[in-house]
Amino acid sequence: MIDFNLMIPDFRDIENAYQLIKNHINRTPVFSSSSINSILGCHTWFKCENFQKVGAFKFRGATHSILKLKPDEAANGVITHSSGNHAAALSLAAAVRGIPAYIIMPENAPGIKKKAVAGYGGQITFCKPTQKAREETMLKIKAETNATFIHPYDSFNVICGQGTASLELLQEHPDLDIVIAPVGGGGLLSGTAAYIKGKNPKIKVYGAEPQNADDAYRSLIDKKIYPSVNPQTIADGLLTSLSPLTFSTLLQHCDGILTVSESSIIKAMRMVWERMKIIIEPSSAVPVAAILEHGEKFRNKKVGVIISGGNVDLDHLPWQE
Amino acid sequence: MIDFNLMIPDFRDIENAYQLIKNHINRTPVFSSSSINSILGCHTWFKCENFQKVGAFKFRGATHSILKLKPDEAANGVITHSSGNHAAALSLAAAVRGIPAYIIMPENAPGIKKKAVAGYGGQITFCKPTQKAREETMLKIKAETNATFIHPYDSFNVICGQGTASLELLQEHPDLDIVIAPVGGGGLLSGTAAYIKGKNPKIKVYGAEPQNADDAYRSLIDKKIYPSVNPQTIADGLLTSLSPLTFSTLLQHCDGILTVSESSIIKAMRMVWERMKIIIEPSSAVPVAAILEHGEKFRNKKVGVIISGGNVDLDHLPWQE
């Protein structure tokens, strides 16, 4: 159920976030492709967060969270447990403010991710690859450093930051019929829905999720948070469960979740690479796959698609497996 | 030696070409990446012709050539023998004007290329995979149709079209120190050099060429056209030899050719994919490789890089071989 004590972001919170972060982030381009449009049967505009710093929208929320810290809080740094784009984003955003970022990573995280976080200046502490070890290690480092924990998505400031991608999109294309974004933990989709619905409730906002990790779809239908249990999908940015804050925000603002097959994700990803010549990660292909699979909802509509990131292991592409 | 009867394009010819084609082409974005700049040790701006229609700069020259045809010439269509980006570009440019494009292709051309040309509406005639068969087949179809032959690069109008990429680049970044473009047949480099040197002779213009296909390098040094004989390079857009017109244009306007190893091309291509999240073909990575290999020429300079195209077979990436 919705926790009414939670503070759900308003579109004005996202406008304020934008004023704070806009000089620190890339204003990413919005791309359109006539060949993609003719395949999808609608008019699409891709908000290309693959061109964001660290290659993903996560830099918006991380930057906003860090800029909101008071000087004495900031001095102790920030901490998170993550092995993905949030860890890289937090490391770089902390470096920009000149404060430490403590990153707890499972010791079996891919070398490429360790390298990325270290490259952005994150101070990594490795732990056993269990949720318990992650949290214990984090509490230990947090006690030692007094660093502020920045959750990857269960955070008002993070969600407000992620919503600024939609703010930029609507600045350029205010007359969209639909906006669609991928959903994992729900930070991006919550920011998207809160902003879009606040600015123009006539625009539909959909989430897109792999069928093989459809916890958000089921959670919003049954109005209770289902945990994501060991999901098997190539969309490796969408493995996590909704949190109390993202769940409540989506219940209030999101028009529904569309689920897609793994084969559609791979097809959509390859199509975007081939037709648009941009590198998107599998998670970013999920909304494109949703338009392919649920064409009737989009026919001839004007659709904004949030491309969440472009961090891909070029040695392991999904169509080669 | 320079043939003084040849009409070498002037920067004003390229300005005129731009007025003619600008509503038919994509104005491609200019991208910059701080991480690429720190690796290369200079400030680079990438003119992204991988985002041009058909995925390559070739659409500029093809469109210009077709728009310059008189109505009675145009009605008979255009013809070329090519299996690459020029054939696709000519097919689409002809379709836009509503005239036929006859494309002579060797019967062993890759399926992906046949499909691309057919997809843009080109009328393909297959021939045996020899230069003689190509030319004989072309003359036969030309005699039957009275179509106008559009050479991929030994053509004033084609070169003027290709030069418009640099015109757009200089509009946004007039204060460059160097512009670098790949060289195969020399159409792109000729248009680049003719435009840049005409507008601002202080800007250096370099070509970049694979060591394994260094005929342009040798041709400009010895001031005679060396044919490109069975070159072995992954930069499959740069296999051809200079022509009388491109040779003469480059002798007059180009500051030199920088050659690069195959391993540098692969390294540069992968670096651009990973850091900039854009798909560039191996030929486009050659100028980036030249900055890697010849760093001293570029140190701390402001460098425009012409990214020629993004047509890659995603099933066969060079770092997987």
Side-chain angles (χ1 to χ4, degrees):
Chain A
M1 292 295 103
I2 298 187
D3 178 347
F4 289 104
N5 293 316
L6 291 173
M7 192 163 77
I8 290 178
D10 181 90
F11 78 94
R12 283 167 290 239
D13 297 316
I14 293 164
E15 290 176 342
N16 291 337
Y18 187 64
Q19 292 308 316
L20 199 56
I21 70 174
K22 67 180 182 188
N23 294 329
H24 298 271
I25 58 173
N26 287 343
R27 183 174 183 117
T28 54
V30 178
F31 276 9
S32 199
S33 155
S34 52
S35 79
I36 293 264
N37 289 347
S38 74
I39 294 168
L40 296 178
C42 56
H43 306 279
T44 55
W45 285 270
F46 284 37
K47 176 63 174 169
C48 288
E49 288 294 298
N50 50 334
F51 298 135
Q52 189 49 263
K53 291 181 185 178
V54 314
F57 73 93
K58 296 273 186 182
F59 189 70
R60 294 176 182 267
T63 297
H64 186 233
S65 301
I66 282 174
L67 292 177
K68 291 290 275 189
L69 295 175
K70 297 190 187 77
D72 56 332
E73 290 174 309
N76 295 326
V78 290
I79 185 167
T80 199
H81 52 81
S82 157
S83 53
N85 288 331
H86 175 64
L90 199 67
S91 299
L92 181 59
V96 170
R97 189 161 174 182
I99 65 174
Y102 304 100
I103 311 294
I104 315 303
M105 286 183 100
E107 57 199 13
N108 62 350
I112 195 170
K113 304 237 165 170
K114 297 175 186 170
K115 211 174 132 189
V117 168
Y120 293 121
Q123 299 179 32
I124 305 177
T125 303
F126 293 106
C127 66
K128 299 260 180 253
T130 67
Q131 189 62 26
K132 184 159 173 283
R134 276 188 183 210
E135 283 169 12
E136 283 176 2
T137 309
M138 196 191 73
L139 290 174
K140 179 170 161 282
I141 306 284
K142 187 169 167 22
E144 289 168 15
T145 59
N146 214 14
T148 302
F149 174 55
I150 309 288
H151 191 281
Y153 50 89
D154 190 40
S155 153
F156 183 88
N157 286 332
V158 167
I159 291 172
C160 289
Q162 318 306 30
T164 60
S166 287
L167 181 153
E168 291 179 354
L169 175 62
L170 276 210
Q171 281 180 342
E172 290 176 44
H173 299 280
D175 61 341
L176 298 173
D177 300 308
I178 301 173
V179 173
I180 185 165
V183 57
L188 176 63
L189 184 59
S190 293
T192 303
Y195 184 76
I196 300 279
K197 287 298 192 181
K199 283 298 277 190
N200 182 355
K202 282 188 255 169
I203 302 175
K204 296 269 185 203
V205 176
Y206 295 120
E209 193 176 38
Q211 266 160 24
N212 288 2
D214 69 345
D215 56 287
Y217 171 79
R218 290 180 290 114
S219 297
L220 292 187
I221 285 183
D222 291 353
K223 297 195 171 37
K224 58 183 273 201
I225 299 177
Y226 289 111
S228 180
V229 182
N230 192 25
Q232 300 298 318
T233 171
I234 60 156
D236 58 353
L238 309 181
L239 303 176
T240 46
S241 319
L242 296 182
S243 72
L245 183 55
T246 59
F247 171 71
S248 301
T249 305
L250 295 180
L251 264 187
Q252 185 169 328
H253 289 303
C254 178
D255 292 294
I257 309 279
L258 306 174
T259 63
V260 298
S261 68
E262 294 296 297
S263 63
S264 290
I265 299 170
I266 296 171
K267 182 179 167 191
M269 180 173 163
R270 183 165 179 150
M271 182 179 81
V272 170
W273 284 42
E274 285 182 342
R275 303 273 172 167
M276 298 184 76
K277 314 299 181 191
I278 61 174
I279 291 181
I280 65 169
E281 59 190 59
S283 304
S284 298
V286 172
V288 183
I291 304 176
L292 280 173
E293 279 200 28
H294 304 267
E296 74 292 345
K297 277 194 154 49
F298 298 91
R299 193 79 63 230
N300 294 326
K301 301 283 198 224
K302 293 191 281 278
V303 184
V305 181
I306 312 285
I307 295 296
S308 51
N311 292 325
V312 175
D313 180 355
L314 294 175
D315 288 319
H316 298 96
L317 298 178
W319 45 83
Q320 294 165 329
E321 283 159 17
Chain B
M1 293 294 105
I2 298 185
D3 178 347
F4 289 102
N5 293 317
L6 291 174
M7 193 163 74
I8 290 177
D10 180 89
F11 77 94
R12 282 165 293 239
D13 297 315
I14 294 165
E15 289 176 341
N16 291 337
Y18 187 63
Q19 292 309 316
L20 200 58
I21 69 174
K22 68 180 180 185
N23 294 329
H24 298 270
I25 58 173
N26 288 343
R27 183 174 182 115
T28 54
V30 178
F31 277 9
S32 197
S33 155
S34 53
S35 78
I36 293 265
N37 288 347
S38 73
I39 294 167
L40 296 178
C42 56
H43 307 279
T44 54
W45 286 270
F46 284 36
K47 176 63 173 170
C48 288
E49 288 295 298
N50 50 333
F51 298 136
Q52 189 50 265
K53 290 181 184 176
V54 315
F57 73 92
K58 296 273 187 183
F59 189 69
R60 294 176 182 268
T63 298
H64 186 234
S65 300
I66 281 175
L67 291 177
K68 291 290 276 188
L69 294 175
K70 297 191 187 78
D72 56 332
E73 290 174 308
N76 295 326
V78 289
I79 186 167
T80 199
H81 52 80
S82 157
S83 53
N85 288 329
H86 176 64
L90 199 67
S91 298
L92 180 59
V96 170
R97 189 162 175 180
I99 64 174
Y102 304 100
I103 311 294
I104 316 303
M105 285 182 100
E107 58 200 12
N108 64 349
I112 195 170
K113 304 238 164 167
K114 296 176 186 169
K115 212 174 132 188
V117 167
Y120 292 120
Q123 299 180 31
I124 305 177
T125 303
F126 292 107
C127 67
K128 298 262 180 252
T130 65
Q131 189 62 27
K132 184 158 172 282
R134 277 189 183 209
E135 282 168 13
E136 283 176 2
T137 310
M138 196 191 73
L139 289 174
K140 178 169 161 283
I141 305 285
K142 187 169 166 25
E144 287 167 17
T145 59
N146 214 12
T148 302
F149 174 54
I150 310 288
H151 191 281
Y153 51 88
D154 190 41
S155 152
F156 184 87
N157 286 331
V158 167
I159 292 172
C160 288
Q162 320 304 31
T164 61
S166 287
L167 181 154
E168 291 179 355
L169 175 63
L170 275 210
Q171 281 180 341
E172 290 177 45
H173 298 281
D175 61 342
L176 297 174
D177 300 308
I178 301 174
V179 172
I180 184 165
V183 57
L188 176 62
L189 184 58
S190 293
T192 303
Y195 183 76
I196 300 278
K197 288 298 193 181
K199 284 296 279 192
N200 182 354
K202 281 186 255 169
I203 302 176
K204 296 269 184 202
V205 176
Y206 295 120
E209 193 176 37
Q211 265 160 24
N212 288 2
D214 68 345
D215 54 288
Y217 171 79
R218 290 181 288 114
S219 297
L220 292 187
I221 285 184
D222 290 352
K223 297 194 168 40
K224 57 183 274 199
I225 299 178
Y226 289 111
S228 180
V229 182
N230 193 26
Q232 301 297 316
T233 171
I234 60 155
D236 58 353
L238 309 181
L239 303 177
T240 44
S241 319
L242 296 182
S243 72
L245 183 55
T246 58
F247 171 72
S248 300
T249 305
L250 294 180
L251 263 188
Q252 186 168 327
H253 289 303
C254 178
D255 292 295
I257 309 277
L258 306 175
T259 62
V260 298
S261 68
E262 294 296 296
S263 63
S264 289
I265 298 171
I266 296 171
K267 182 179 168 192
M269 178 174 164
R270 183 163 180 153
M271 182 179 81
V272 170
W273 284 42
E274 286 183 340
R275 304 273 172 166
M276 298 185 76
K277 312 300 180 191
I278 61 174
I279 292 181
I280 65 168
E281 58 190 58
S283 304
S284 298
V286 171
V288 182
I291 303 175
L292 280 174
E293 279 200 29
H294 304 267
E296 74 292 344
K297 278 195 152 50
F298 298 91
R299 192 79 65 229
N300 295 324
K301 300 282 199 229
K302 295 192 282 278
V303 184
V305 181
I306 312 286
I307 295 296
S308 50
N311 292 326
V312 175
D313 180 355
L314 294 176
D315 288 320
H316 297 97
L317 298 178
W319 45 82
Q320 295 165 329
E321 283 159 17

